[in-house]
Structures are given as C-alpha cells and as structure tokens.
C-alpha cells in the first residue's frame, strides 16, 4: 500500500530548496550564504536563562499549562504597547510563517489570485501554492509610474478573467530576497490601489527593526489599518528557536484567524510567550537588538566591500539598508541553479534567485545572506564564490 | 470594508464551545469539569528549571536557532527509543493538534470521508470540518459483531456513493470524551477493516500512558505499522505549554507531512524540543509520570465515588481505566446544552456531549474532566452539579 493512493494530490506542496540544502550539508562546515539564519552570537544566553527562571517564579504552573488561543495577555499587551496598536488587534502566532499560512488558509480558495512582488519570500510562495492560489508576481521598478502601471495591468487582467485578488503579499522593509525596501510613495500607491481594486494587503515585517542606515518609514498597516494584516516575528530580533510571531489586523480578520488556530494548534507555546513578554517589557530585547544591529551592519558593510573588491565584471548587487540579505545579478545566460552543484562541491552555498520568482524567471540571480556567518567566513566565502564565478 | 467580502467561506471553521467557555469565565473561579487541562500540580517546576539551564549549557546558541523541519535529532531519537520505532518514522509536531490538522491537510480533499467514533474529540472534528471532510461517526457497541457490522454498513454505503474513506480517526486508549478504551479484539477488527476497505487509521494517543488500572494493550500502530499514523503528545505526560507532540508513520507519509510543515511553520520550537529530549532521556519524565498517575487515579476514584453518592437516579457514567475524562448520560429528554447556562450561573462547568457527536446526537450527555481541579473542588463541584440536576 503506502501513502500514494490515500493522499490527495499534494503536488502543490513543494520542497524548499533551502531546506533541501540543509539536508545535504552541515551549514557550519561550509561557507553558507544560503538560509536566513540570524547569527547565534546575537542570542543573549545569560539574559534568557535569567528571564526563564524569573518566568518560572512569577507564573509557576501557569507557564506550562494550556493558554488562550489569541496568545497570553502579557505578550499581547507588550506587542500592543511596543507598536502602538490596540490589544484587540493583536494575535500571537506560532511563528510568522504560521501567520502567512493562516492568512492564506482563511482567505484563499483554489484559483484565487495572490499578488506578490517578484522575487518574493519562498516560504510564502510555498504556502500560497499549497492552497492552490494563482500567484501573480510584479517586478519592482524604480519609476513609480511604471511600477503602478505594472500593478494596474495585472489587476485589470485579473478583473477581465473574472477572478478575485484576495491579497497582495509584501515585505516593504529589506525584502527577502532582494534586500530592497519600498519608498513611502510606493507604500502609499499600493495602499491606494488596494482601496481602488478592493483587496487586502499582507505586510510581512520580520526584518523591519534591523535598519542599518536611512530613516524608518511608516508601515503599510499604519497607512491603512483596516485593509492591512501586519505580520511580525521574534525570529530576527530575539531568537527564531521560540517560533513566535504576531499578526496585527482588524478584529474581524483576527476572529477568523482565532477560529482557524483552534483547529490548527489550540494556542502558541506558553512558556516561550511569557519569556518573550518579559524580555520585551524589561527592555532587554531593545538592548540586544541594538547589539544585533551593530553586528549586522558591520557584516553588511564587509560583504559590500568584498563584492566590490572580488566579484568579476558583469555582476551587480543590491545595497540593502537593513535586514539579512542582498541579491546578486549575474550576466544574462548564467544559470544559478546549474552552478549550484559546482559551488556546493567547492564548499560555498547560496540560494538561486529563480526559486523566489513566481514565474521561474531570475535564473541569473542569487540571494546572499550576511547575518549567519562570522566575518572571517564571509571573507573567505566571497573570495571562493568570486573565483568560481570567474572560472565559469 | 472589513473582512467578510475578502474571506472565503469559513463557515466550515467552527468555534470550540470549550474555548468559548474559557472566554466567558475564569476556570479557577468556578468548579470546572470542562476543558482537558492537566493539573498544574503535575508540572515539575524545579526539574524543568534545572533542565532548561542544562540545555542552555549544552546546546548554547543552537537551542535558539532555526532547526530541522522533522524536529531536532535528539528528541526524535528519544521518541524512537522510548516507543521502539525507527527514527526515520518519527516527526515532531508543534502540538498533537497540529498532527491531526496536518494529517487532514495532506490526505483530505473536500467531500472525502473521515470515519470517527461517535462521540469523538472536538478539536479533531473541528479540523476535519475546516477541510470540508464528510465526517461519518460510528457509535461504540460492546458486541463486537454489531460494532463491526456498523462499520461495514457505513463503508459499503460510502462505496455505493462513489466516495473515498481517507482515514479512520480513533483514540483507542481512554477516549476523549468517553473515557473508554478499545479492546484488543476491537483494535484488530478495525485494522482488518482498514486492510479490506483500504483506508488509513489516524491513532490519536495523548492519554495512553495515563493508565490507572488494567493491562496496557498494543497500539493500533503496532498492529499495522504501514497503515496507521500514530500521534503522541507531551501535553498530558509532561506539560501542554510546550505544545509538542509527535507523529509516527510510514516514511512516505512523513515525507508529505515534512513538505507541508515547511510552509506551515518551518520547524517546531527548538528550545522546548531540547528540554523535552533531556527530560525523556534523563528519566525525569517517567518519574514525573508516575506521580501524575497516582494523583489522577485518586481523583478518578474520588469522582466515581461522588457520582455514586450524589447523582440522582437515571444518571449513568463510564468507568475509565485511565485518561482525564468520564462521560455522563442523563435521562432521555435532558438537554445538556440548554442546562449549561443554569450550571454556569451556579458556578459549575462541563462540556455538553452533543458537541462531540458528528451528527449532533447525544443531547443528554456531558463530559467531565477529573484532572484539573483539586480534590476539594471536585467534591464541591459534584455536589453542586448533582443538586442542580435534581432540581431540573
């Protein structure tokens, strides 16, 4: 027997090429620009140990019991205060990946259109595909009119097809994979389009607080609080191992997430939520965040310098003002998927940009992470990658 | 605007009446036989604190980083050894509720049949409904031939309708809500039917290790390892606040769960997994489990004695050999949903049995939990409930 015949057609689930890499090699044994791991150096182990002990003293058995589906009140309050939103608009999620998945589950029927930027975050594309969404990607253009025209063309086309755009998925700050951010004007344009064409926006913001230069821009949520579902995450500002995130949205939308989460996992991990709440309220999170920003800014600057020094002609890259990634474009005709085996055999990993493009374009691109490795490994890794690229 | 128009039809998601109770009242302020909460007295706070500190020392940053989608190797190994199954058959889940939900997501298309016992676990019914499964409940019969005939009748009917049974969902040990267990003969009969009619079995086993009398019976998984997906949970043998469970199944099925979990939440909470692994391997879990069994056995015996002493004539109940629940049957015509407001106003909560019946029958039944409250509150609660029942 086995499962094939029992299973529904799960071809819409696809494997993350990033996680497939992790199965093949030990990330610590190679030069890995793949993955979106924060540096383990940013995890404040002693502060965490202390906070954990305090949580046990303060909450006793309650810290290990079942809890509210919306999240523990202490953490919802802390998020509400930090981001200046009413607490009834805060739902804690068991990872912000779950936030993406739950939004898709409550909003998307098979064939419904989800708009994304192209390229976009792979884990979101995976989730949209698993619900058989019709994903339409829009490439960024620095000319705002051309950018708007590209959206309008797709929105009109979808209308002509008699289909419905359920939401636009967007990472406005230091996008994964490109590292680029939307300007204020672009944010306003998209929010206006959402009004005019009547769709929601899922704003995914895991990197927002990791800014190394430039001014903070308003969230899309703040521009249109009833039309935007804002997703936040502790993974990059605290530690991903807790698997905790949050959704900020209109209470009607949160109510749907709430009933969905009841059958999904009942409630997020309780002890971890109390630890995160204490960490936030005590100011330890901000202290630690400042250190992370300093560390990552240095690594970003190093990577930019190294690329400038070592990359062969014809290779270009983005200049991210924050976040964990930058995006490389090789000359036309280069195939980053094909080149991947060569790179991995030599001991250096990246993620081919093609995987982030809903239409499979971007074959000559790759994503590079600069948060995970040490400065020494970043240096050696760029030298190795550049020499391989020169030889190919 | 708001969400109604953007949302797909989420009427198939329904609210847990148990969680709605929690919204209305503070469980600690009333006599609550509702919920399926373990006693917070069973959470070994000092041992947990110590283990957490050990995990930080042993794993350092790794304990807070992203981890493998299948779960951390240390916990998969510990489960593999404890239950005598190959490690490649073990997937860690972010709660065993997620195990149920993921099985449904990878196996069930709208309209596919899921067989369950009637009554059955509410959280499972919620998940099946959210995927628009066609749920067919089968009442238990102590006559094995009649029990088998009831299943065969439904299986033949489903076949005649041209539909497909994707799986049978079963809690063979100390079922939620009835407290009853399947005999070995019944387990064998169901496994044989699964072979004959070619369906899978999802065996949900959160209570299995909480046995207070009688002999352990083989799991359904052990009777048919390639056809049964076995779901386990730390919620009742350790602490629910960690939201950790596991699935044991044929590697082909686990592979589907693996890709599904990539877009669902990437990986289970990492630190919590290491804590659970250390707790298992050190023998602390078994030490603590022995204490829980002693505590719960005493509470079960107390509840049985109190029901005998105080319940009015015409009320009967099950005699569970383990687990957290027993099931009350009132005289025909009694409506446990209607009676609920009276009970809650007086300060005592239960869950109406109707909610556990896929076809809405069982109006004269209720589920009582005996793990959560102290012995004193159980005593006062039964006296109060019995006096209300006498008056109605």
């Amino acid at each position: 027997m086995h499962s094939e015949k029992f299973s529904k057609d799960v071809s819409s689930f696809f494997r993350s090429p990033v996680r497939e890499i992790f199965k093949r090699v030990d990330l610590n044994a190679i030069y890995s620009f793949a993955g979106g791991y924060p540096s383990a150096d940013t995890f404040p182990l002693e502060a965490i140990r202390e906070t954990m002990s305090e949580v046990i003293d303060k909450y006793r058995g309650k810290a290990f019991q079942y809890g509210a589906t919306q999240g523990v009140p202490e953490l919802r309050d802390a998020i509400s205060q930090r981001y200046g939103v009413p607490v009834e608009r805060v739902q804690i999620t068991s990872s912000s990946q779950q936030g993406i998945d739950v939004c898709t589950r409550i909003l998307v029927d098979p064939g419904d259109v989800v708009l994304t930027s192209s390229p976009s975050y792979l884990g979101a594309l995976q989730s949209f595909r698993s619900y058989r969404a019709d994903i339409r990607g829009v490439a960024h253009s620095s000319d705002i009119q051309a950018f708007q025209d590209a959206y309008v063309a797709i929105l009109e086309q979808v209308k002509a097809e008699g289909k419905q755009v359920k939401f636009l998925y967007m990472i406005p700050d230091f996008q994964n994979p490109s590292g680029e951010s939307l300007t204020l004007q672009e944010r306003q344009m998209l929010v206006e389009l959402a009004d005019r064409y009547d769709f929601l926006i899922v704003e995914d913001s895991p990197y927002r607080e990791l800014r190394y230069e430039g001014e903070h821009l308003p969230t899309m949520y703040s521009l249109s609080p009833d039309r935007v579902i804002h997703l936040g995450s502790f993974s990059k500002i605290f530690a991903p191992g807790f698997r905790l995130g949050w959704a900020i949205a209109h209470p009607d939308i949160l109510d749907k997430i709430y009933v969905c989460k009841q059958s999904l996992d009942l409630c997020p991990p309780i002890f971890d939520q109390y630890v995160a709440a204490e960490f936030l309220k005590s100011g330890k999170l901000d202290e630690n965040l400042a250190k992370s920003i300093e560390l990552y800014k240095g690594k970003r600057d190093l990577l930019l310098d190294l690329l400038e020094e070592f990359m062969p002609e014809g290779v270009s890259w983005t200049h991210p003002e924050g976040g964990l990634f930058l995006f490389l474009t090789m000359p036309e005709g280069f195939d980053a998927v094909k080149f991947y085996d060569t790179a991995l055999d030599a001991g250096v990993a990246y993620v081919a940009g093609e995987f982030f493009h809903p239409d499979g374009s971007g074959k000559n691109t790759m994503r590079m992470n600069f948060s995970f490795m040490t400065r020494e490994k970043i240096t050696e890794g760029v030298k190795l990658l550049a020499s391989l690229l020169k030889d190919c």
Side-chain angles (χ1 to χ4, degrees), chain A:
Chain A
M1 70 119 226
H2 303 165
S3 58
E4 227 33 76
K5 56 188 308 193
F6 296 106
S7 178
K8 70 182 187 187
D9 177 12
V10 291
S11 58
S12 58
F13 293 107
F14 79 63
R15 278 159 216 285
S16 159
V18 186
R19 298 227 139 219
E20 292 303 307
I21 298 170
F22 301 167
K23 273 179 148 178
R24 273 174 71 180
V25 296
D26 174 3
L27 287 189
N28 292 302
I30 56 166
Y31 301 111
S32 175
F33 297 103
Y37 284 30
S39 166
D41 295 341
T42 66
F43 305 152
L45 299 182
E46 289 319 310
I48 291 175
R49 190 201 307 264
E50 202 178 290
T51 303
M52 286 183 163
S53 203
E54 283 163 17
V55 164
I56 294 174
D57 289 335
K58 185 168 174 185
Y59 295 101
R60 309 298 299 165
K62 209 178 163 186
F64 302 99
Q65 190 54 282
Y66 288 107
T69 303
Q70 300 94 323
V72 304
E74 289 80 356
L75 185 56
R76 293 176 72 210
D77 281 343
I79 297 284
S80 155
Q81 281 165 38
R82 183 176 180 85
Y83 300 104
V85 292
V87 68
E88 62 272 18
R89 285 190 169 229
V90 180
Q91 162 78 49
I92 307 302
T93 57
S94 313
S95 81
S96 83
Q97 179 70 40
Q98 188 191 58
I100 297 169
D101 197 70
V102 165
C103 286
T104 317
R105 182 160 165 183
I106 62 164
L107 294 169
V108 171
D109 281 309
D112 282 344
V113 173
V114 171
L115 293 180
T116 73
S117 50
S118 177
S120 188
Y121 168 50
L122 190 60
L125 299 178
Q126 275 184 287
S127 179
F128 305 154
R129 283 195 183 126
S130 81
Y131 291 102
R132 299 183 186 283
D134 177 353
I135 306 170
R136 311 276 176 115
V138 185
H140 187 255
S141 165
S142 51
D143 173 348
I144 179 93
Q145 189 57 51
F147 194 35
Q148 176 168 330
D149 289 349
Y151 272 100
V152 169
I154 287 182
L155 287 162
E156 288 295 333
Q157 194 188 324
V158 170
K159 215 187 334 186
E161 291 170 19
K163 291 190 146 190
Q164 220 186 334
V165 173
K166 283 300 174 72
F167 61 81
L168 164 66
Y169 171 78
M170 197 49 78
I171 307 169
D173 299 293
F174 326 123
Q175 199 232 23
N176 178 358
S178 74
E180 293 183 316
S181 302
L182 292 181
T183 64
L184 176 56
Q185 208 187 359
E186 288 167 343
R187 289 166 204 234
Q188 284 163 337
M189 181 273 284
L190 290 170
V191 162
E192 280 160 27
L193 280 186
D195 263 339
R196 194 186 333 155
Y197 286 90
D198 207 9
F199 56 84
L200 294 174
I201 295 174
V202 175
E203 175 181 45
D204 193 9
S205 280
Y207 317 109
R208 180 172 169 79
E209 296 180 65
L210 295 173
R211 180 176 278 281
Y212 317 133
E213 66 180 64
E215 290 295 309
H216 272 290
L217 291 172
T219 60
M220 296 176 84
Y221 174 84
S222 71
L223 300 176
S224 184
D226 287 354
R227 203 174 269 288
V228 177
I229 306 172
H230 179 94
L231 301 177
S233 170
F234 282 109
S235 292
K236 275 79 186 186
I237 61 172
F238 185 24
F242 291 113
R243 311 306 300 123
L244 285 176
W246 58 89
I248 298 172
H250 188 281
D252 289 354
I253 296 171
L254 283 199
D255 190 57
K256 286 186 205 311
I257 293 179
Y258 165 78
V259 281
C260 180
K261 261 191 75 72
Q262 283 187 350
S263 62
L264 195 65
D265 61 3
L266 296 175
C267 59
I270 305 304
F271 179 74
D272 296 350
Q273 287 184 80
Y274 283 123
V275 172
E278 293 296 315
F279 228 78
L280 259 177
K281 288 191 290 185
S282 66
K284 284 182 192 162
L285 189 133
D286 280 319
E287 256 174 59
N288 194 63
L289 184 55
K291 285 186 205 157
S292 301
I293 287 171
E294 200 189 330
L295 179 74
Y296 293 152
K297 181 184 186 309
K299 288 186 176 186
R300 180 205 60 165
D301 293 344
L302 174 68
L303 179 56
L304 287 170
D305 289 347
L306 289 164
L307 292 174
E308 195 63 55
E309 185 175 350
F310 293 103
M311 277 293 151
E313 232 173 285
V315 179
S316 62
W317 49 90
T318 58
H319 181 105
E321 294 188 331
L324 310 181
F325 306 107
L326 59 72
F327 208 59
L328 248 70
T329 304
M330 264 65 63
E332 280 298 330
F334 180 86
D335 186 327
V337 171
K338 274 199 188 146
F339 185 67
Y340 193 72
D341 284 326
T342 309
L344 209 56
D345 285 347
V348 59
Y350 57 82
V351 184
E354 179 180 338
F355 299 122
F356 301 101
H357 289 74
D359 64 355
S361 62
K363 292 202 189 308
N364 60 328
T365 60
M366 61 173 72
R367 187 188 75 177
M368 291 180 81
N369 165 275
F370 53 80
S371 56
F372 179 63
M373 284 193 292
T374 60
R375 294 176 62 92
E376 293 66 36
K377 289 191 84 173
I378 289 175
T379 308
E380 294 308 309
V382 170
K383 286 184 191 168
L384 176 55
L385 182 62
S387 75
L388 294 170
L389 285 170
K390 274 174 198 154
D391 290 347
C392 83

